[in-house]
Short mmCIF file of all heavy atoms in Angstrom, two decimals:
data_model
loop_
_atom_site.label_atom_id
_atom_site.label_comp_id
_atom_site.label_asym_id
_atom_site.label_seq_id
_atom_site.Cartn_x
_atom_site.Cartn_y
_atom_site.Cartn_z
N VAL W 162 -33.93 -54.85 -10.05
CA VAL W 162 -34.58 -55.90 -9.17
C VAL W 162 -35.99 -55.52 -8.71
O VAL W 162 -36.89 -56.20 -8.21
CB VAL W 162 -33.81 -56.40 -8.04
CG1 VAL W 162 -32.44 -56.89 -8.42
CG2 VAL W 162 -33.62 -55.33 -6.94
N CYS W 163 -36.21 -54.20 -8.98
CA CYS W 163 -37.63 -53.68 -8.56
C CYS W 163 -38.73 -54.20 -9.61
O CYS W 163 -38.22 -54.54 -10.73
CB CYS W 163 -37.66 -52.16 -8.50
SG CYS W 163 -36.39 -51.40 -7.39
N GLY W 164 -39.87 -54.19 -9.26
CA GLY W 164 -40.94 -54.67 -10.21
C GLY W 164 -42.21 -53.99 -10.03
O GLY W 164 -42.50 -53.25 -9.00
N ALA W 165 -43.06 -54.28 -10.87
CA ALA W 165 -44.50 -53.58 -10.93
C ALA W 165 -45.34 -54.52 -10.01
O ALA W 165 -44.98 -55.60 -9.57
CB ALA W 165 -45.02 -53.54 -12.23
N PHE W 166 -46.54 -53.90 -9.70
CA PHE W 166 -47.50 -54.63 -8.89
C PHE W 166 -48.16 -55.79 -9.66
O PHE W 166 -48.61 -56.78 -8.92
CB PHE W 166 -48.57 -53.65 -8.41
CG PHE W 166 -48.14 -52.75 -7.29
CD1 PHE W 166 -48.01 -51.34 -7.58
CD2 PHE W 166 -47.77 -53.19 -6.12
CE1 PHE W 166 -47.59 -50.54 -6.65
CE2 PHE W 166 -47.36 -52.39 -5.13
CZ PHE W 166 -47.32 -51.03 -5.31
N ASN W 167 -48.26 -55.68 -10.85
CA ASN W 167 -48.88 -56.82 -11.62
C ASN W 167 -48.28 -56.89 -13.09
O ASN W 167 -47.54 -56.05 -13.45
CB ASN W 167 -50.37 -56.71 -11.74
CG ASN W 167 -50.77 -55.36 -12.40
OD1 ASN W 167 -50.33 -55.12 -13.52
ND2 ASN W 167 -51.68 -54.63 -11.69
N ASN W 168 -48.64 -58.05 -13.79
CA ASN W 168 -48.03 -58.29 -15.07
C ASN W 168 -48.30 -57.28 -16.13
O ASN W 168 -47.49 -56.99 -16.85
CB ASN W 168 -48.40 -59.71 -15.55
CG ASN W 168 -47.74 -60.75 -14.73
OD1 ASN W 168 -46.72 -60.49 -14.11
ND2 ASN W 168 -48.29 -62.03 -14.74
N SER W 169 -49.57 -56.77 -16.09
CA SER W 169 -49.87 -55.79 -17.19
C SER W 169 -49.00 -54.42 -16.92
O SER W 169 -48.74 -53.80 -17.87
CB SER W 169 -51.28 -55.44 -17.16
OG SER W 169 -51.71 -54.81 -15.90
N GLN W 170 -48.68 -54.19 -15.70
CA GLN W 170 -47.97 -52.92 -15.45
C GLN W 170 -46.49 -53.18 -15.74
O GLN W 170 -45.76 -52.46 -16.22
CB GLN W 170 -48.07 -52.47 -13.96
CG GLN W 170 -49.43 -51.84 -13.66
CD GLN W 170 -49.51 -51.51 -12.18
OE1 GLN W 170 -48.80 -52.12 -11.34
NE2 GLN W 170 -50.50 -50.72 -11.88
N ALA W 171 -46.02 -54.50 -15.49
CA ALA W 171 -44.66 -54.91 -15.71
C ALA W 171 -44.28 -54.72 -17.19
O ALA W 171 -43.17 -54.49 -17.50
CB ALA W 171 -44.55 -56.33 -15.20
N ASP W 172 -45.33 -54.98 -18.06
CA ASP W 172 -45.02 -54.92 -19.51
C ASP W 172 -44.65 -53.55 -19.86
O ASP W 172 -44.15 -53.26 -20.98
CB ASP W 172 -46.21 -55.47 -20.35
CG ASP W 172 -46.45 -56.94 -20.07
OD1 ASP W 172 -45.48 -57.65 -19.69
OD2 ASP W 172 -47.52 -57.44 -20.39
N ARG W 173 -45.04 -52.55 -19.09
CA ARG W 173 -44.73 -51.12 -19.44
C ARG W 173 -43.35 -50.66 -19.06
O ARG W 173 -42.91 -49.60 -19.52
CB ARG W 173 -45.88 -50.23 -18.78
CG ARG W 173 -47.21 -50.40 -19.37
CD ARG W 173 -48.22 -49.63 -18.55
NE ARG W 173 -47.88 -48.28 -18.34
CZ ARG W 173 -48.38 -47.58 -17.39
NH1 ARG W 173 -49.30 -48.07 -16.60
NH2 ARG W 173 -48.07 -46.24 -17.11
N LEU W 174 -42.67 -51.45 -18.27
CA LEU W 174 -41.37 -51.19 -17.69
C LEU W 174 -40.30 -51.61 -18.65
O LEU W 174 -40.36 -52.66 -19.25
CB LEU W 174 -41.25 -51.70 -16.26
CG LEU W 174 -42.15 -51.07 -15.26
CD1 LEU W 174 -42.06 -51.92 -14.01
CD2 LEU W 174 -41.79 -49.66 -14.84
N GLU W 175 -39.16 -50.84 -18.52
CA GLU W 175 -37.94 -51.31 -19.23
C GLU W 175 -36.85 -51.59 -18.30
O GLU W 175 -36.75 -50.86 -17.22
CB GLU W 175 -37.51 -50.16 -20.20
CG GLU W 175 -38.47 -50.01 -21.36
CD GLU W 175 -37.97 -48.97 -22.33
OE1 GLU W 175 -36.98 -48.16 -21.91
OE2 GLU W 175 -38.50 -48.76 -23.40
N ARG W 176 -36.08 -52.62 -18.42
CA ARG W 176 -34.88 -52.91 -17.48
C ARG W 176 -33.65 -52.92 -18.34
O ARG W 176 -33.66 -53.43 -19.44
CB ARG W 176 -35.11 -54.34 -16.88
CG ARG W 176 -36.12 -54.33 -15.78
CD ARG W 176 -36.17 -55.65 -14.98
NE ARG W 176 -36.94 -55.64 -13.81
CZ ARG W 176 -38.28 -55.78 -13.81
NH1 ARG W 176 -38.93 -55.90 -14.83
NH2 ARG W 176 -38.87 -55.76 -12.61
N SER W 177 -32.62 -52.50 -17.77
CA SER W 177 -31.28 -52.71 -18.25
C SER W 177 -30.48 -53.09 -17.17
O SER W 177 -30.84 -53.22 -16.03
CB SER W 177 -30.75 -51.28 -18.94
OG SER W 177 -30.52 -50.41 -17.87
N HIS W 178 -29.13 -53.27 -17.43
CA HIS W 178 -28.18 -53.66 -16.32
C HIS W 178 -28.04 -52.44 -15.35
O HIS W 178 -27.55 -52.70 -14.23
CB HIS W 178 -26.82 -54.07 -16.89
CG HIS W 178 -26.11 -53.01 -17.55
ND1 HIS W 178 -26.37 -52.45 -18.84
CD2 HIS W 178 -25.02 -52.31 -17.03
CE1 HIS W 178 -25.61 -51.53 -19.09
NE2 HIS W 178 -24.75 -51.32 -18.06
N VAL W 179 -28.50 -51.37 -15.72
CA VAL W 179 -28.37 -50.19 -14.93
C VAL W 179 -29.58 -49.80 -14.04
O VAL W 179 -29.40 -49.43 -12.94
CB VAL W 179 -27.91 -49.03 -15.76
CG1 VAL W 179 -27.64 -47.70 -15.02
CG2 VAL W 179 -26.58 -49.32 -16.59
N ARG W 180 -30.73 -49.86 -14.73
CA ARG W 180 -31.95 -49.35 -14.00
C ARG W 180 -33.18 -50.01 -14.51
O ARG W 180 -33.19 -50.71 -15.45
CB ARG W 180 -32.03 -47.85 -14.35
CG ARG W 180 -32.47 -47.49 -15.72
CD ARG W 180 -32.42 -45.98 -15.89
NE ARG W 180 -31.10 -45.31 -15.74
CZ ARG W 180 -30.27 -45.13 -16.60
NH1 ARG W 180 -30.35 -45.53 -17.83
NH2 ARG W 180 -29.16 -44.47 -16.30
N ILE W 181 -34.28 -49.65 -13.69
CA ILE W 181 -35.57 -49.97 -14.15
C ILE W 181 -36.22 -48.64 -14.54
O ILE W 181 -35.97 -47.70 -13.75
CB ILE W 181 -36.46 -50.75 -13.11
CG1 ILE W 181 -37.75 -51.13 -13.75
CG2 ILE W 181 -36.60 -49.95 -11.80
CD1 ILE W 181 -38.62 -52.18 -12.90
N SER W 182 -36.93 -48.56 -15.70
CA SER W 182 -37.46 -47.18 -15.99
C SER W 182 -38.82 -47.40 -16.74
O SER W 182 -39.25 -48.39 -17.16
CB SER W 182 -36.52 -46.43 -16.80
OG SER W 182 -36.29 -47.23 -18.08
N LEU W 183 -39.55 -46.28 -16.65
CA LEU W 183 -40.78 -46.18 -17.39
C LEU W 183 -40.59 -45.35 -18.67
O LEU W 183 -40.15 -44.17 -18.65
CB LEU W 183 -41.80 -45.44 -16.50
CG LEU W 183 -43.27 -45.31 -17.00
CD1 LEU W 183 -43.84 -46.73 -17.22
CD2 LEU W 183 -44.06 -44.62 -16.00
N PRO W 184 -40.88 -45.90 -19.86
CA PRO W 184 -40.56 -45.13 -21.02
C PRO W 184 -41.33 -43.80 -21.12
O PRO W 184 -42.33 -43.59 -20.58
CB PRO W 184 -41.10 -46.00 -22.10
CG PRO W 184 -41.13 -47.31 -21.55
CD PRO W 184 -41.41 -47.15 -20.01
N ILE W 185 -40.62 -42.80 -21.74
CA ILE W 185 -41.23 -41.44 -21.87
C ILE W 185 -42.55 -41.51 -22.61
O ILE W 185 -43.47 -40.69 -22.38
CB ILE W 185 -40.19 -40.51 -22.61
CG1 ILE W 185 -40.67 -38.99 -22.51
CG2 ILE W 185 -40.05 -40.97 -24.08
CD1 ILE W 185 -40.29 -38.28 -21.27
N SER W 186 -42.75 -42.59 -23.34
CA SER W 186 -44.08 -42.63 -24.14
C SER W 186 -45.17 -43.18 -23.29
O SER W 186 -46.31 -43.20 -23.85
CB SER W 186 -43.88 -43.59 -25.30
OG SER W 186 -43.32 -44.91 -24.93
N SER W 187 -44.96 -43.57 -22.08
CA SER W 187 -45.97 -44.10 -21.22
C SER W 187 -47.02 -43.01 -20.91
O SER W 187 -46.64 -41.79 -20.66
CB SER W 187 -45.40 -44.62 -19.87
OG SER W 187 -46.38 -45.10 -19.11
N PRO W 188 -48.29 -43.33 -20.95
CA PRO W 188 -49.39 -42.33 -20.72
C PRO W 188 -49.51 -41.88 -19.30
O PRO W 188 -50.09 -40.83 -19.02
CB PRO W 188 -50.67 -43.04 -21.23
CG PRO W 188 -50.37 -44.55 -21.10
CD PRO W 188 -48.87 -44.71 -21.21
N THR W 189 -49.10 -42.71 -18.28
CA THR W 189 -49.41 -42.42 -16.96
C THR W 189 -48.20 -42.81 -16.03
O THR W 189 -47.32 -43.51 -16.51
CB THR W 189 -50.63 -43.26 -16.40
OG1 THR W 189 -50.37 -44.64 -16.47
CG2 THR W 189 -51.87 -42.63 -17.16
N LYS W 190 -48.19 -42.35 -14.82
CA LYS W 190 -47.24 -42.76 -13.83
C LYS W 190 -47.41 -44.15 -13.38
O LYS W 190 -48.58 -44.74 -13.64
CB LYS W 190 -47.27 -41.81 -12.56
CG LYS W 190 -46.89 -40.41 -12.89
CD LYS W 190 -47.08 -39.58 -11.64
CE LYS W 190 -46.64 -38.14 -11.89
NZ LYS W 190 -46.61 -37.20 -10.72
N LEU W 191 -46.45 -44.80 -12.78
CA LEU W 191 -46.53 -46.18 -12.41
C LEU W 191 -45.78 -46.36 -11.12
O LEU W 191 -44.64 -45.91 -10.85
CB LEU W 191 -45.99 -47.13 -13.54
CG LEU W 191 -46.02 -48.59 -13.22
CD1 LEU W 191 -47.50 -49.05 -13.35
CD2 LEU W 191 -45.15 -49.23 -14.23
N TRP W 192 -46.25 -47.17 -10.13
CA TRP W 192 -45.67 -47.56 -8.93
C TRP W 192 -44.94 -48.73 -9.04
O TRP W 192 -45.43 -49.81 -9.76
CB TRP W 192 -46.65 -47.72 -7.78
CG TRP W 192 -47.18 -46.46 -7.24
CD1 TRP W 192 -48.38 -45.77 -7.66
CD2 TRP W 192 -46.69 -45.63 -6.24
NE1 TRP W 192 -48.54 -44.69 -6.93
CE2 TRP W 192 -47.51 -44.40 -6.00
CE3 TRP W 192 -45.53 -45.64 -5.41
CZ2 TRP W 192 -47.30 -43.41 -5.11
CZ3 TRP W 192 -45.26 -44.64 -4.46
CH2 TRP W 192 -46.06 -43.56 -4.41
N ILE W 193 -43.58 -48.88 -8.47
CA ILE W 193 -42.92 -50.14 -8.47
C ILE W 193 -42.56 -50.58 -7.03
O ILE W 193 -42.67 -49.64 -6.17
CB ILE W 193 -41.70 -49.94 -9.33
CG1 ILE W 193 -40.68 -48.88 -8.77
CG2 ILE W 193 -41.89 -49.83 -10.80
CD1 ILE W 193 -39.38 -48.79 -9.46
N VAL W 194 -42.29 -51.76 -6.79
CA VAL W 194 -41.89 -52.23 -5.52
C VAL W 194 -40.47 -52.66 -5.47
O VAL W 194 -40.07 -53.37 -6.44
CB VAL W 194 -42.75 -53.44 -5.07
CG1 VAL W 194 -42.29 -53.97 -3.67
CG2 VAL W 194 -44.23 -53.08 -5.02
N CYS W 195 -39.72 -52.30 -4.58
CA CYS W 195 -38.15 -52.59 -4.53
C CYS W 195 -37.94 -53.44 -3.13
O CYS W 195 -38.22 -53.02 -2.05
CB CYS W 195 -37.43 -51.48 -4.57
SG CYS W 195 -37.66 -50.47 -6.00
N PRO W 196 -37.41 -54.61 -3.34
CA PRO W 196 -37.08 -55.48 -2.06
C PRO W 196 -35.95 -54.91 -1.24
O PRO W 196 -34.97 -54.49 -1.95
CB PRO W 196 -36.82 -56.79 -2.73
CG PRO W 196 -36.23 -56.57 -4.07
CD PRO W 196 -36.93 -55.27 -4.48
N ILE W 197 -36.02 -54.92 0.03
CA ILE W 197 -34.95 -54.57 0.84
C ILE W 197 -34.77 -55.70 1.78
O ILE W 197 -35.60 -55.96 2.58
CB ILE W 197 -35.13 -53.28 1.56
CG1 ILE W 197 -35.32 -52.12 0.61
CG2 ILE W 197 -33.95 -52.98 2.59
CD1 ILE W 197 -35.68 -50.80 1.29
N GLN W 198 -33.74 -56.40 1.48
CA GLN W 198 -33.48 -57.62 2.39
C GLN W 198 -32.71 -57.28 3.69
O GLN W 198 -31.83 -56.44 3.69
CB GLN W 198 -32.65 -58.66 1.65
CG GLN W 198 -33.48 -59.27 0.50
CD GLN W 198 -32.59 -60.21 -0.31
OE1 GLN W 198 -31.40 -60.09 -0.41
NE2 GLN W 198 -33.26 -61.30 -0.71
N SER W 199 -33.10 -57.96 4.76
CA SER W 199 -32.34 -57.69 5.98
C SER W 199 -31.55 -58.99 6.27
O SER W 199 -31.82 -60.03 5.86
CB SER W 199 -33.34 -57.38 7.17
OG SER W 199 -34.11 -58.60 7.33
N VAL W 200 -30.43 -58.77 7.03
CA VAL W 200 -29.64 -59.77 7.51
C VAL W 200 -29.47 -59.70 8.99
O VAL W 200 -29.94 -58.68 9.53
CB VAL W 200 -28.19 -59.68 6.89
CG1 VAL W 200 -28.34 -59.90 5.35
CG2 VAL W 200 -27.59 -58.44 7.08
N ALA W 201 -28.96 -60.69 9.64
CA ALA W 201 -28.79 -60.69 11.18
C ALA W 201 -28.17 -59.47 11.62
O ALA W 201 -28.54 -59.04 12.73
CB ALA W 201 -28.12 -61.97 11.48
N GLU W 202 -27.18 -59.00 10.93
CA GLU W 202 -26.49 -57.83 11.51
C GLU W 202 -27.46 -56.50 11.64
O GLU W 202 -27.09 -55.67 12.37
CB GLU W 202 -25.30 -57.43 10.58
CG GLU W 202 -24.17 -58.47 10.75
CD GLU W 202 -24.30 -59.75 9.98
OE1 GLU W 202 -25.32 -59.77 9.09
OE2 GLU W 202 -23.71 -60.76 10.18
N ASP W 203 -28.45 -56.48 10.69
CA ASP W 203 -29.39 -55.47 10.79
C ASP W 203 -30.08 -55.39 12.15
O ASP W 203 -30.56 -54.31 12.64
CB ASP W 203 -30.34 -55.44 9.70
CG ASP W 203 -29.85 -55.20 8.36
OD1 ASP W 203 -28.88 -54.34 8.22
OD2 ASP W 203 -30.40 -55.65 7.36
N LEU W 204 -30.21 -56.55 12.78
CA LEU W 204 -30.99 -56.69 13.99
C LEU W 204 -30.22 -56.32 15.20
O LEU W 204 -30.85 -56.11 16.27
CB LEU W 204 -31.63 -58.05 14.10
CG LEU W 204 -32.48 -58.49 12.84
CD1 LEU W 204 -32.95 -59.94 13.10
CD2 LEU W 204 -33.67 -57.57 12.69
N ARG W 205 -28.98 -56.12 15.13
CA ARG W 205 -28.13 -55.80 16.32
C ARG W 205 -28.49 -54.30 16.68
O ARG W 205 -28.77 -53.53 15.93
CB ARG W 205 -26.77 -55.88 15.90
CG ARG W 205 -26.29 -57.17 15.67
CD ARG W 205 -24.86 -57.34 15.18
NE ARG W 205 -24.64 -58.69 14.64
CZ ARG W 205 -23.89 -59.56 15.26
NH1 ARG W 205 -23.31 -59.36 16.35
NH2 ARG W 205 -23.79 -60.77 14.72
N SER W 206 -28.49 -54.13 17.95
CA SER W 206 -28.77 -52.75 18.48
C SER W 206 -27.62 -51.86 18.23
O SER W 206 -26.48 -52.21 18.32
CB SER W 206 -28.94 -52.89 19.99
OG SER W 206 -29.24 -51.67 20.56
N THR W 207 -28.04 -50.62 17.60
CA THR W 207 -27.05 -49.65 17.32
C THR W 207 -27.56 -48.41 17.76
O THR W 207 -28.77 -48.39 18.39
CB THR W 207 -26.83 -49.52 15.82
OG1 THR W 207 -27.97 -48.99 15.14
CG2 THR W 207 -26.30 -50.88 15.20
N ILE W 208 -26.78 -47.28 17.73
CA ILE W 208 -27.22 -45.95 18.19
C ILE W 208 -27.74 -45.11 17.08
O ILE W 208 -28.26 -44.07 17.27
CB ILE W 208 -26.11 -45.26 18.92
CG1 ILE W 208 -24.88 -44.99 18.02
CG2 ILE W 208 -25.69 -46.00 20.21
CD1 ILE W 208 -23.96 -44.10 18.66
N ASN W 209 -27.67 -45.66 15.83
CA ASN W 209 -28.05 -44.84 14.66
C ASN W 209 -29.15 -45.46 13.83
O ASN W 209 -29.19 -46.58 13.63
CB ASN W 209 -26.78 -44.59 13.80
CG ASN W 209 -25.68 -43.85 14.52
OD1 ASN W 209 -25.89 -42.93 14.98
ND2 ASN W 209 -24.61 -44.62 14.56
N PRO W 210 -30.14 -44.75 13.44
CA PRO W 210 -31.17 -45.24 12.58
C PRO W 210 -30.66 -45.48 11.11
O PRO W 210 -29.62 -44.86 10.79
CB PRO W 210 -32.28 -44.23 12.68
CG PRO W 210 -31.50 -42.94 12.95
CD PRO W 210 -30.36 -43.30 13.76
N PRO W 211 -31.38 -46.28 10.43
CA PRO W 211 -31.05 -46.50 8.93
C PRO W 211 -30.94 -45.28 8.09
O PRO W 211 -31.85 -44.51 8.29
CB PRO W 211 -32.04 -47.50 8.59
CG PRO W 211 -32.64 -48.15 9.64
CD PRO W 211 -32.57 -47.09 10.69
N GLN W 212 -30.02 -45.29 7.23
CA GLN W 212 -29.87 -44.27 6.28
C GLN W 212 -30.33 -44.68 4.84
O GLN W 212 -30.09 -45.89 4.58
CB GLN W 212 -28.47 -43.65 6.16
CG GLN W 212 -27.86 -43.22 7.43
CD GLN W 212 -26.39 -42.89 7.39
OE1 GLN W 212 -25.69 -43.39 6.45
NE2 GLN W 212 -25.94 -41.98 8.18
N ILE W 213 -30.91 -43.90 4.08
CA ILE W 213 -31.50 -44.29 2.84
C ILE W 213 -30.88 -43.24 1.69
O ILE W 213 -30.98 -42.13 1.84
CB ILE W 213 -32.89 -44.23 2.74
CG1 ILE W 213 -33.56 -45.04 3.92
CG2 ILE W 213 -33.56 -44.71 1.39
CD1 ILE W 213 -35.08 -44.79 4.19
N TRP W 214 -30.49 -43.93 0.62
CA TRP W 214 -30.12 -43.06 -0.61
C TRP W 214 -30.95 -43.71 -1.86
O TRP W 214 -31.06 -44.86 -2.02
CB TRP W 214 -28.70 -43.16 -0.92
CG TRP W 214 -27.69 -42.59 0.03
CD1 TRP W 214 -27.32 -41.28 -0.05
CD2 TRP W 214 -27.25 -43.12 1.18
NE1 TRP W 214 -26.49 -41.12 1.02
CE2 TRP W 214 -26.40 -42.19 1.86
CE3 TRP W 214 -27.25 -44.53 1.77
CZ2 TRP W 214 -25.62 -42.50 2.98
CZ3 TRP W 214 -26.63 -44.65 2.97
CH2 TRP W 214 -25.72 -43.75 3.52
N VAL W 215 -31.50 -42.76 -2.55
CA VAL W 215 -32.28 -43.05 -3.77
C VAL W 215 -31.46 -42.44 -4.94
O VAL W 215 -31.36 -41.25 -4.97
CB VAL W 215 -33.74 -42.63 -3.66
CG1 VAL W 215 -34.43 -43.01 -5.03
CG2 VAL W 215 -34.53 -43.35 -2.54
N ASN W 216 -31.12 -43.27 -5.91
CA ASN W 216 -30.48 -42.72 -7.03
C ASN W 216 -31.57 -42.85 -8.17
O ASN W 216 -31.72 -43.89 -8.70
CB ASN W 216 -29.24 -43.50 -7.43
CG ASN W 216 -28.48 -42.91 -8.59
OD1 ASN W 216 -28.64 -43.28 -9.72
ND2 ASN W 216 -27.62 -41.94 -8.34
N ALA W 217 -32.18 -41.69 -8.51
CA ALA W 217 -33.16 -41.62 -9.48
C ALA W 217 -32.63 -41.23 -10.87
O ALA W 217 -31.73 -40.37 -10.91
CB ALA W 217 -34.30 -40.73 -9.10
N TYR W 218 -33.31 -41.65 -11.90
CA TYR W 218 -32.78 -41.30 -13.23
C TYR W 218 -33.93 -40.51 -13.96
O TYR W 218 -35.12 -40.88 -13.87
CB TYR W 218 -32.61 -42.61 -14.04
CG TYR W 218 -32.45 -42.35 -15.55
CD1 TYR W 218 -31.24 -41.92 -16.18
CD2 TYR W 218 -33.55 -42.71 -16.41
CE1 TYR W 218 -31.13 -41.73 -17.45
CE2 TYR W 218 -33.38 -42.44 -17.79
CZ TYR W 218 -32.22 -41.95 -18.28
OH TYR W 218 -32.09 -41.78 -19.66
N PHE W 219 -33.58 -39.47 -14.61
CA PHE W 219 -34.45 -38.56 -15.56
C PHE W 219 -33.85 -38.55 -16.88
O PHE W 219 -32.77 -38.10 -17.15
CB PHE W 219 -34.53 -37.23 -14.90
CG PHE W 219 -35.05 -37.20 -13.48
CD1 PHE W 219 -34.27 -37.26 -12.35
CD2 PHE W 219 -36.40 -37.17 -13.20
CE1 PHE W 219 -34.73 -37.29 -11.08
CE2 PHE W 219 -36.93 -37.07 -11.94
CZ PHE W 219 -36.06 -37.19 -10.87
N GLY W 220 -34.68 -39.17 -17.86
CA GLY W 220 -34.10 -39.17 -19.22
C GLY W 220 -34.29 -37.81 -19.90
O GLY W 220 -34.89 -36.81 -19.39
N GLU W 221 -33.73 -37.89 -21.23
CA GLU W 221 -33.99 -36.66 -22.04
C GLU W 221 -35.48 -36.50 -22.38
O GLU W 221 -36.12 -37.44 -22.35
CB GLU W 221 -33.15 -36.84 -23.20
CG GLU W 221 -31.72 -37.02 -23.14
CD GLU W 221 -30.93 -37.48 -24.49
OE1 GLU W 221 -31.64 -37.60 -25.46
OE2 GLU W 221 -29.72 -37.47 -24.42
N GLN W 222 -35.75 -35.27 -22.42
CA GLN W 222 -37.16 -34.82 -22.71
C GLN W 222 -38.09 -34.90 -21.58
O GLN W 222 -39.30 -34.61 -21.65
CB GLN W 222 -37.75 -35.53 -23.95
CG GLN W 222 -36.96 -35.35 -25.19
CD GLN W 222 -36.48 -33.95 -25.53
OE1 GLN W 222 -37.32 -33.14 -25.60
NE2 GLN W 222 -35.26 -33.87 -25.93
N VAL W 223 -37.56 -35.28 -20.35
CA VAL W 223 -38.36 -35.32 -19.18
C VAL W 223 -38.37 -33.85 -18.67
O VAL W 223 -37.25 -33.18 -18.47
CB VAL W 223 -37.83 -36.21 -18.12
CG1 VAL W 223 -38.60 -35.99 -16.83
CG2 VAL W 223 -37.91 -37.75 -18.61
N PRO W 224 -39.53 -33.22 -18.49
CA PRO W 224 -39.53 -31.77 -18.11
C PRO W 224 -38.86 -31.49 -16.63
O PRO W 224 -38.82 -32.38 -15.77
CB PRO W 224 -41.01 -31.47 -17.88
CG PRO W 224 -41.77 -32.46 -18.78
CD PRO W 224 -40.89 -33.74 -18.60
N THR W 225 -38.19 -30.33 -16.64
CA THR W 225 -37.56 -29.95 -15.43
C THR W 225 -38.68 -29.90 -14.30
O THR W 225 -39.72 -29.45 -14.64
CB THR W 225 -36.91 -28.53 -15.51
OG1 THR W 225 -35.98 -28.61 -16.59
CG2 THR W 225 -36.23 -28.01 -14.30
N GLY W 226 -38.40 -30.33 -13.08
CA GLY W 226 -39.37 -30.33 -12.10
C GLY W 226 -39.94 -31.69 -11.94
O GLY W 226 -40.81 -31.80 -10.91
N THR W 227 -39.79 -32.56 -12.82
CA THR W 227 -40.46 -33.92 -12.68
C THR W 227 -39.95 -34.60 -11.43
O THR W 227 -38.82 -34.57 -11.11
CB THR W 227 -40.26 -34.69 -14.01
OG1 THR W 227 -40.83 -34.08 -15.17
CG2 THR W 227 -40.79 -36.09 -13.86
N GLU W 228 -40.73 -35.35 -10.77
CA GLU W 228 -40.40 -35.94 -9.45
C GLU W 228 -40.50 -37.50 -9.56
O GLU W 228 -41.38 -38.02 -10.28
CB GLU W 228 -41.22 -35.43 -8.31
CG GLU W 228 -41.03 -34.02 -8.04
CD GLU W 228 -41.94 -33.50 -6.91
OE1 GLU W 228 -42.96 -34.27 -6.66
OE2 GLU W 228 -41.64 -32.44 -6.33
N VAL W 229 -39.59 -38.15 -8.76
CA VAL W 229 -39.69 -39.58 -8.54
C VAL W 229 -39.84 -39.66 -6.96
O VAL W 229 -39.02 -39.14 -6.28
CB VAL W 229 -38.48 -40.39 -8.97
CG1 VAL W 229 -38.50 -41.81 -8.50
CG2 VAL W 229 -38.36 -40.43 -10.62
N THR W 230 -40.89 -40.32 -6.56
CA THR W 230 -41.18 -40.37 -5.11
C THR W 230 -41.05 -41.89 -4.64
O THR W 230 -41.72 -42.78 -5.22
CB THR W 230 -42.63 -39.89 -4.72
OG1 THR W 230 -42.73 -38.57 -5.30
CG2 THR W 230 -42.91 -39.88 -3.42
N CYS W 231 -40.21 -42.04 -3.66
CA CYS W 231 -40.05 -43.39 -3.01
C CYS W 231 -40.57 -43.27 -1.56
O CYS W 231 -40.11 -42.36 -0.85
CB CYS W 231 -38.58 -43.85 -3.10
SG CYS W 231 -38.10 -44.14 -4.66
N ILE W 232 -41.38 -44.25 -1.16
CA ILE W 232 -41.90 -44.28 0.23
C ILE W 232 -41.37 -45.54 0.92
O ILE W 232 -41.50 -46.69 0.32
CB ILE W 232 -43.38 -44.32 0.13
CG1 ILE W 232 -43.98 -43.08 -0.44
CG2 ILE W 232 -43.93 -44.47 1.60
CD1 ILE W 232 -45.42 -43.19 -0.64
N PHE W 233 -40.59 -45.53 1.99
CA PHE W 233 -40.05 -46.52 2.69
C PHE W 233 -40.92 -46.70 3.92
O PHE W 233 -41.23 -45.83 4.63
CB PHE W 233 -38.66 -46.28 3.11
CG PHE W 233 -37.69 -46.12 1.99
CD1 PHE W 233 -37.63 -44.99 1.18
CD2 PHE W 233 -37.01 -47.17 1.49
CE1 PHE W 233 -36.84 -44.86 0.14
CE2 PHE W 233 -36.13 -47.07 0.43
CZ PHE W 233 -36.01 -45.91 -0.25
N ARG W 234 -41.32 -47.97 4.26
CA ARG W 234 -42.17 -48.26 5.42
C ARG W 234 -41.41 -49.37 6.34
O ARG W 234 -40.87 -50.29 5.76
CB ARG W 234 -43.45 -48.80 4.99
CG ARG W 234 -44.28 -47.71 4.27
CD ARG W 234 -45.58 -48.34 3.78
NE ARG W 234 -46.45 -47.43 2.91
CZ ARG W 234 -46.36 -47.06 1.74
NH1 ARG W 234 -45.43 -47.61 0.96
NH2 ARG W 234 -47.07 -46.09 1.12
#
Side-chain angles (χ1 to χ4, degrees):
V162 304
C163 299
F166 286 112
N167 61 51
N168 289 338
S169 66
Q170 292 175 341
D172 291 341
R173 294 175 44 203
L174 294 167
E175 293 179 350
R176 284 186 170 82
S177 69
H178 68 284
V179 178
R180 73 182 56 91
I181 188 168
S182 59
L183 185 61
I185 190 89
S186 60
S187 181
T189 60
K190 295 180 179 182
L191 182 72
W192 285 95
I193 61 171
V194 180
C195 302
I197 299 177
Q198 294 179 323
S199 62
V200 294
E202 288 78 15
D203 288 331
L204 303 179
R205 295 174 193 248
S206 180
T207 64
I208 58 171
N209 300 301
Q212 301 173 335
I213 304 164
W214 291 268
V215 174
N216 187 270
Y218 167 78
F219 299 90
E221 295 175 358
Q222 305 311 314
V223 171
T225 303
T227 299
E228 295 179 342
V229 169
T230 302
C231 291
I232 301 171
F233 296 84
R234 294 173 179 91

